[in-house]
């Protein structure tokens, strides 16, 4: 049960890079696993060769957060 909650929340916090020419992206995701589901919201910002993302997700009775940073070349 807890594993399904965690997997659903992780799946609902998927970072995606902004579209070509854009620097910011807000995304909304939904994910289900077994009988568990979660919704998430993410924000990604690209600045030159770096990108930064933050996300939050919630299932029926749990919440999770995620932060990431990347470098492209």
């Amino acid at each position: 049960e807890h594993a399904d909650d965690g997997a659903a929340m992780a799946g609902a916090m998927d970072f995606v890079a902004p579209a070509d020419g854009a620097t910011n992206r807000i995304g909304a995701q939904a994910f289900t696993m077994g009988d568990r589901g979660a919704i998430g919201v993410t924000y990604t910002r690209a600045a030159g060769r770096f990108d930064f993302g933050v996300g939050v997700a919630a299932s029926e009775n749990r919440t999770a957060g995620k932060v990431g940073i990347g470098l492209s070349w």
Side-chain angles (χ1 to χ4, degrees), residues 7 15 18 20 22-24 26 28 30 33 35 38-40 42 48 52 54-56 60 62 70 72-73:
F15 292 140
D20 289 342
T23 57
N24 296 288
I26 294 176
M33 182 166 189
D35 64 346
I39 57 171
T42 55
F52 170 78
V54 62
V56 294
E60 186 175 322
R62 303 182 89 190
S72 300
W73 65 92

Side-chain angles (χ1 to χ4, degrees), residues 1-64:
E1 183 174 300
H2 292 296
D4 285 351
D5 273 343
M9 287 187 290
M13 290 188 291
D14 193 22
F15 292 140
V16 177
D20 289 342
T23 57
N24 296 288
R25 181 179 189 282
I26 294 176
Q29 303 84 18
F31 190 93
T32 60
M33 182 166 189
D35 64 346
R36 297 296 193 193
I39 57 171
V41 177
T42 55
Y43 169 75
T44 307
R45 177 171 176 83
R49 296 171 63 169
F50 291 93
D51 58 84
F52 170 78
V54 62
V56 294
S59 67
E60 186 175 322
N61 58 0
R62 303 182 89 190
T63 58

